[in-house]
Amino acid sequence: MPGPRFEGKDTPKICLAIGDGGGPPDAQGGRSANQEVSAKRLKQLGVDYALSGGPPIPWEEARLQSMMDRLKTNGVTLGNLMIAGFNNAIYNRPGKDEEIEKVIQSIRVAGKVGLPVVEYNWYAHRAMEGYFEEPGRAGVGLTGFDYELLQTAAQQYQTRPEEKGMKFKDLPALPNEGAHTLDEMWTNITYFLKAVVPEAEKAGVRLALHPNDPPAPVSRKSQQIMGTVEGWKKLIEIVKSPSNGITFDCGVTKEMGQDPVEVCHYFASRDRINHVHFRNVKVTKPYERYTEVFIDEGENNMFAVMRELVKSKYTRLVYPEHPRAIDYDRDRGRIGGYPGGGAYAAFAFNVGYTRAMMQAALTA
């Protein structure tokens, strides 16, 4: 087989989150040893790149540099940090300018330490109350989403006792979030982007806004600006810059009834894909009822998606996320962050499949 067989300067780069490797805590119950063990386990899968949630804002140069250096010592390059902690900016509340300044300070620090991508969310409300576990092949755990899902007493996400028996689509707004229109949310993010993107450009950092996941039409009475492909397209026009990009998620794209290859081409040809989530799904009704499945069994043509990334000369990170809940992980107490979600062994399956798709695309 001709090269390249593994990631290089001009190829996409498979990554995992630092915590995806797992590992025991250190002797004091902290996470310092965790990072080393996890990095080793990532390397055993042939994964040389990692992402992570970031620390509280504003980020400090010494802390970020230490984080990157420790991973580098273990052969792993940190390529993406998620930034959060600016809800006042999202909801246009007092204190938003102070939060935006902290985001700007954090982006400047990212540039100084050589972190190329900062990812973020802009949810009015994330529709996680619509998730549930459903069985897949041989009893594996899959993640379903249903806009009509009835809430139960054991509901996992932010459901209050008085909401038992309500459908997800009918849930009221949460007091700490409120209900918001598209116009409100577009006004708020426009203000944010016009302040932040020029500073990201100066720092040499790319921003990646993750789409609404799940892409529910309305979530606790709020409309969602990143819940349609048209919304994604509108976003990148607000401030025209490679630093104002998206996380392209081919799973979410299919959940909205769109063609991931066409959508990938649109954004990649404009150099606006700054991060990729690589996963598969089966859709019963776009936006409202779907199931996240194994990467090899869904409706997405994963090879065609990877081939489009390669053709478009995309060279940043590809995260084969949302592993399925298999017995091997469950028997060891490893569970994922979603109903029906899995852990390290299931990630190994995702990584192997993704690398096969990439190798095939690079030689096609």
Side-chain angles (χ1 to χ4, degrees):
M1 176 182 173
R5 295 191 182 189
F6 292 91
E7 292 85 332
K9 180 174 66 71
D10 299 321
T11 75
K13 297 164 180 62
I14 298 171
C15 73
L16 289 174
I18 294 172
D20 292 341
D26 61 21
Q28 287 73 44
R31 297 184 58 84
S32 59
N34 240 10
Q35 185 167 306
E36 296 168 7
V37 171
S38 185
K40 181 180 180 182
R41 292 182 179 182
L42 266 58
K43 292 287 290 184
Q44 288 179 343
L45 300 181
V47 174
D48 297 328
Y49 297 87
L51 53 80
S52 180
I57 57 174
W59 295 347
E60 299 172 357
E61 183 175 349
R63 184 171 181 179
L64 245 61
Q65 190 67 65
S66 174
M67 186 178 185
M68 295 184 73
D69 289 347
R70 286 177 58 205
L71 284 168
K72 200 68 176 177
T73 298
N74 291 283
V76 174
T77 298
L78 185 64
N80 179 332
L81 275 184
M82 177 69 74
I83 195 167
F86 43 92
N87 282 347
N88 290 330
I90 293 174
Y91 298 125
N92 190 29
R93 293 171 178 166
K96 68 178 182 181
D97 290 323
E98 292 83 352
E99 288 181 348
I100 290 173
E101 183 56 35
K102 289 180 181 179
V103 171
I104 290 171
Q105 292 176 40
S106 301
I107 289 170
R108 288 171 178 160
V109 165
K112 288 179 181 178
V113 301
L115 178 72
V117 175
V118 173
E119 192 174 11
Y120 68 110
N121 290 308
W122 201 271
Y123 294 113
H125 175 77
R126 188 172 186 185
M128 297 178 74
E129 298 93 331
Y131 280 141
F132 63 99
E133 180 172 337
E134 56 183 300
R137 60 197 189 200
V140 75
L142 306 177
T143 302
F145 177 81
D146 192 346
Y147 199 50
E148 303 276 346
L149 183 68
L150 290 174
Q151 305 300 293
T152 70
Q155 199 72 24
Q156 189 172 355
Y157 299 106
Q158 297 189 56
T159 305
R160 295 170 290 188
E162 63 270 23
E163 294 170 349
K164 179 182 177 182
M166 295 182 66
K167 292 183 179 181
F168 166 74
K169 69 177 185 179
D170 297 326
L171 290 176
L174 294 172
N176 63 321
E177 293 176 345
H180 302 276
T181 66
L182 283 179
D183 286 345
E184 287 179 66
M185 298 304 288
W186 280 122
T187 297
N188 298 349
I189 200 167
T190 297
Y191 185 87
F192 176 85
L193 291 174
K194 287 185 175 180
V196 171
V197 172
E199 298 299 326
E201 281 186 335
K202 294 175 189 176
V205 172
R206 289 176 177 246
L207 303 179
L209 177 55
H210 194 285
N212 273 84
D213 182 14
V218 176
S219 184
R220 284 197 179 268
K221 307 306 180 186
S222 285
Q223 296 176 297
Q224 309 293 326
I225 61 173
M226 289 295 282
T228 64
V229 172
E230 290 308 309
W232 303 2
K233 291 177 179 179
K234 181 173 180 175
L235 177 92
I236 65 171
E237 295 297 321
I238 293 173
V239 180
K240 294 184 178 181
S241 167
S243 289
N244 179 30
I246 66 166
T247 293
F248 169 66
D249 188 320
C250 59
V252 173
T253 307
K254 178 60 71 173
E255 291 160 12
M256 300 187 300
Q258 301 292 317
D259 181 347
V261 178
E262 290 181 4
V263 174
C264 179
H265 176 76
Y266 181 91
F267 289 95
S269 64
R270 291 162 173 77
D271 192 21
R272 295 300 184 268
I273 296 180
N274 291 339
H275 184 51
V276 171
H277 284 179
F278 198 68
R279 62 178 179 84
N280 220 332
V281 66
K282 291 181 179 178
V283 179
T284 303
K285 183 179 181 181
Y287 299 99
E288 296 189 17
R289 178 68 180 93
Y290 60 83
T291 305
E292 298 181 23
V293 296
F294 272 109
I295 195 170
D296 68 319
E297 64 175 352
E299 296 170 5
N300 280 341
N301 184 335
M302 303 303 288
F303 172 66
V305 173
M306 184 63 77
R307 183 171 53 187
E308 185 61 41
L309 290 168
V310 169
K311 282 171 55 180
S312 301
K313 303 187 186 308
Y314 175 78
T315 60
R316 285 169 286 281
L317 302 188
V318 175
Y319 184 26
E321 60 161 5
H322 293 197
R324 305 285 29 107
I326 59 177
D327 288 351
Y328 186 89
D329 284 327
R330 284 175 160 169
D331 291 347
R332 287 155 179 77
R334 302 169 181 163
I335 57 175
Y338 300 89
Y344 180 70
F347 269 119
F349 180 90
N350 284 7
V351 168
Y353 187 92
T354 303
R355 176 156 290 116
M357 295 298 99
M358 189 179 73
Q359 290 179 341
L362 288 169
T363 58

